[in-house]
Amino acid sequence: SQPPRAEAWVATNAALESEVEPGSSLWPADGRDRPGLLPPLFKVLSDGRGEAPRLQPDSRALQYMKKLYKAYATKEGIPKANRNHLYNTVRLFTPWVQQKQAPGRQETGVLPPADLLFNLDRVTAVEHLIKSVLLYTLDSSVSVSSAVQCVCSLVMKETGTSSQTQPSTPRPLTLQSRFEFRKKHKWAEIDVTPLLEPLVASSESHVHLSGNCTCVKDQQQRPAAQEGPLNLTVLASPSLILYLNDTSAQAYHGWYSLPYRRRPSRGLRQQSRPAPGAGEEAAQVGRSSRRQR
Amino acid sequence: GQDAVGSQLKQPLVPAALNLSEYFKQFVFPQDECELHDFRLSFSQLKWDNWIVAPHRYNPRYCKGDCPRAVGHRYGSPVHTVVQNIIYEKLDSSVPRPSCVPARYSPLSVLTIEPGGSIAYKEYEDMIATKCTCR
């Protein structure tokens, strides 16, 4: 008897995948993966074999993403139930720096001007932007914990095809962002969502950002904390992080389902009393069902 | 019922070893009943660890085993499964017995290095089997 169609599909795909090599007739002509053809992870798993070795990312960026992974998932890779964010995808892009960066003036906390080009072609059409930040790797040796106010003036130069015909129209935008430095604070995030939203929505594959940031100590700080210059050393040009909601069927949409995936019964109140020790789970269910409402 | 008991007692005693084990066979749970099994793999075994950064170990688990006749209450199977079992046993053994397959999954978070050198954290649905059923 014929195996069920789904099984046949998986078997065929697995057989295809084991033979097909990039460039063969079965391999997508443009080499780009069409989300409908292969689940993204399977695509990553399969195209790794025949492909040239991958560019190794910046080690500090990798360290940041490993830290993020530990915050969001267990050692076995299960997404943690306490995550209350709406994104199931986080992408970190390291820039092609357009020009050698002049060193920043550290005594006043001026971060060096940056002229950065990011290639976003890994962002698929089904991934919707939730938030975007520029990640500066800093090594602040501020002696006491002090709030630092950063004002950034970033200009977006569109480099998509649309601007090929007319000169790129810079879109000046001043971003006000505030973050707290503590001892040995390694990273500083600057929210650039308003800049990136229109570009990701229009599937721009390249983003050209330039501008600089000035960080000064917050005036409300205790006088003692204001002694001495703000000694900031920028270790590397900033990375761009996109927090996305992948709307494809293969992606996990945890916030839509109850933590233990039970079919929502009509009368939530009629549900049997939660088992002892499941108080947290029941509370969690309460919170998530309130959120859903 | 005394005479019935009496007649029973008069019957020749067959060797206990043979009949008792046969008799009890119909009650013992099948040893290889449909259930969840572990399969721990590490991406380095598949030589995929140069772009799958995390997790280091992945246990997709799988379902294996026979589906006993009384599948209803144990596996949450629909009545169709019981019917299919009866067809296989009583009418036509070319109809396959019900299969032991996953009924529920949990997601997996993966950290990968993409071809262009960017880094992606993604959460995929249905990557680890957490419950089996007979269908």
Side-chain angles (χ1 to χ4, degrees), chain A residues 45-60:
Chain A
L45 296 185
S46 55
D47 69 10
R49 272 172 285 171
E51 194 169 278
R54 291 158 188 259
L55 289 173
Q56 284 309 310
D58 175 78
S59 59
R60 280 174 293 268

Side-chain angles (χ1 to χ4, degrees), chain A residues 126-196:
Chain A
V126 292
E127 292 174 349
H128 300 166
L129 185 70
I130 304 278
K131 183 175 109 173
S132 174
V133 299
L134 271 183
L135 181 80
Y136 276 93
T137 310
L138 300 174
D139 174 12
S140 74
S141 55
V142 181
S143 52
V144 290
S145 86
S146 61
V148 176
Q149 185 80 19
C150 282
V151 177
C152 297
S153 163
L154 293 170
V155 177
M156 170 72 70
K157 295 175 185 170
E158 290 174 12
T159 58
T161 44
S162 55
S163 61
Q164 233 89 63
T165 47
Q166 70 267 0
S168 71
T169 50
R171 195 185 301 174
L173 193 117
T174 299
L175 288 175
Q176 183 90 16
S177 61
R178 166 193 169 86
F179 37 85
E180 186 86 19
F181 278 147
R182 286 190 186 77
K183 211 181 255 309
K184 290 286 164 250
H185 193 96
K186 271 198 162 179
W187 291 287
E189 292 187 0
I190 296 173
D191 192 315
V192 290
T193 310
L195 270 176
L196 267 291

Side-chain angles (χ1 to χ4, degrees), chain A residues 14-245:
Chain A
L16 272 185
E17 209 40 56
S18 57
E19 281 130 38
V20 74
E21 286 304 323
S24 73
S25 59
L26 287 172
W27 196 258
D30 55 2
R32 288 172 59 98
D33 60 319
R34 285 183 287 278
L37 188 61
L38 282 176
L41 177 62
F42 196 40
K43 171 83 188 63
V44 168
L45 296 185
S46 55
D47 69 10
R49 272 172 285 171
E51 194 169 278
R54 291 158 188 259
L55 289 173
Q56 284 309 310
D58 175 78
S59 59
R60 280 174 293 268
L62 193 52
Q63 192 186 353
Y64 179 85
M65 289 300 275
K66 283 181 180 174
K67 185 169 161 281
L68 178 137
Y69 185 86
K70 283 191 189 119
Y72 290 168
T74 64
K75 252 199 186 108
E76 285 67 38
I78 312 282
K80 289 182 181 173
N82 60 356
R83 23 191 295 299
N84 53 6
H85 46 68
L86 290 185
Y87 41 85
N88 51 24
T89 299
V90 182
R91 290 185 180 279
L92 181 144
F93 299 93
T94 40
W96 301 333
V97 181
Q98 294 294 307
Q99 66 192 18
K100 194 82 197 85
Q101 280 189 16
R105 289 196 307 283
Q106 291 150 16
E107 61 290 346
T108 58
V110 178
L111 301 182
D115 194 9
L116 312 158
L117 186 61
F118 294 99
N119 176 357
L120 305 189
D121 69 351
R122 297 301 300 182
V123 182
T124 61
V126 292
E127 292 174 349
H128 300 166
L129 185 70
I130 304 278
K131 183 175 109 173
S132 174
V133 299
L134 271 183
L135 181 80
Y136 276 93
T137 310
L138 300 174
D139 174 12
S140 74
S141 55
V142 181
S143 52
V144 290
S145 86
S146 61
V148 176
Q149 185 80 19
C150 282
V151 177
C152 297
S153 163
L154 293 170
V155 177
M156 170 72 70
K157 295 175 185 170
E158 290 174 12
T159 58
T161 44
S162 55
S163 61
Q164 233 89 63
T165 47
Q166 70 267 0
S168 71
T169 50
R171 195 185 301 174
L173 193 117
T174 299
L175 288 175
Q176 183 90 16
S177 61
R178 166 193 169 86
F179 37 85
E180 186 86 19
F181 278 147
R182 286 190 186 77
K183 211 181 255 309
K184 290 286 164 250
H185 193 96
K186 271 198 162 179
W187 291 287
E189 292 187 0
I190 296 173
D191 192 315
V192 290
T193 310
L195 270 176
L196 267 291
E197 219 147 31
L199 294 184
V200 173
S202 56
S203 306
E204 286 284 342
S205 59
H206 287 85
V207 168
H208 189 176
L209 259 177
S210 65
N212 59 26
C213 299
T214 306
C215 296
V216 293
K217 282 190 181 176
D218 204 351
Q219 305 315 321
Q220 290 106 14
Q221 281 304 306
R222 284 175 289 105
Q226 297 197 10
E227 277 144 27
L230 182 61
N231 177 11
L232 285 177
T233 314
V234 180
L235 297 180
S237 50
S239 303
L240 177 65
I241 300 185
L242 304 183
Y243 295 87
L244 303 149
N245 171 27

Side-chain angles (χ1 to χ4, degrees), chain A residues 40-41 44-45 48-49 51 54-57 61-62 65-66 68-69 72-73 75-79 83 88-93 122 127 246 249-253 261, chain B residues 43 46 48 50-59 94 96 104-128:
Chain A
L41 177 62
V44 168
L45 296 185
R49 272 172 285 171
E51 194 169 278
R54 291 158 188 259
L55 289 173
Q56 284 309 310
L62 193 52
M65 289 300 275
K66 283 181 180 174
L68 178 137
Y69 185 86
Y72 290 168
K75 252 199 186 108
E76 285 67 38
I78 312 282
R83 23 191 295 299
N88 51 24
T89 299
V90 182
R91 290 185 180 279
L92 181 144
F93 299 93
R122 297 301 300 182
E127 292 174 349
D246 182 335
Q250 292 94 13
Y252 175 51
H253 303 284
R261 308 287 304 262
Chain B
F43 289 117
L46 301 167
W48 291 341
N50 61 336
W51 76 86
I52 295 193
V53 179
H56 299 304
R57 294 179 305 281
Y58 168 38
N59 178 7
S94 72
R104 198 174 293 173
Y105 299 90
S106 73
L108 181 77
S109 297
V110 186
L111 190 63
T112 57
I113 297 174
E114 308 266 289
S118 64
I119 308 170
Y121 164 87
K122 284 192 83 69
E123 294 171 351
Y124 288 101
E125 192 71 276
D126 302 341
M127 290 291 287
I128 299 173

Side-chain angles (χ1 to χ4, degrees), chain B residues 14-28:
Chain B
V14 293
L18 176 63
N19 263 8
L20 273 182
S21 65
E22 280 307 312
Y23 176 69
F24 281 124
K25 238 178 208 164
Q26 58 187 315
F27 299 114
V28 74

Side-chain angles (χ1 to χ4, degrees), chain B residues 73-127:
Chain B
H73 67 288
R74 276 177 71 79
Y75 292 101
S77 305
V79 178
H80 171 272
T81 310
V82 181
V83 172
Q84 185 173 336
N85 225 344
I86 292 170
I87 293 173
Y88 164 77
E89 285 183 359
K90 308 276 186 212
L91 304 178
D92 178 353
S93 60
S94 72
V95 171
R97 294 184 70 172
S99 309
C100 173
V101 293
R104 198 174 293 173
Y105 299 90
S106 73
L108 181 77
S109 297
V110 186
L111 190 63
T112 57
I113 297 174
E114 308 266 289
S118 64
I119 308 170
Y121 164 87
K122 284 192 83 69
E123 294 171 351
Y124 288 101
E125 192 71 276
D126 302 341
M127 290 291 287

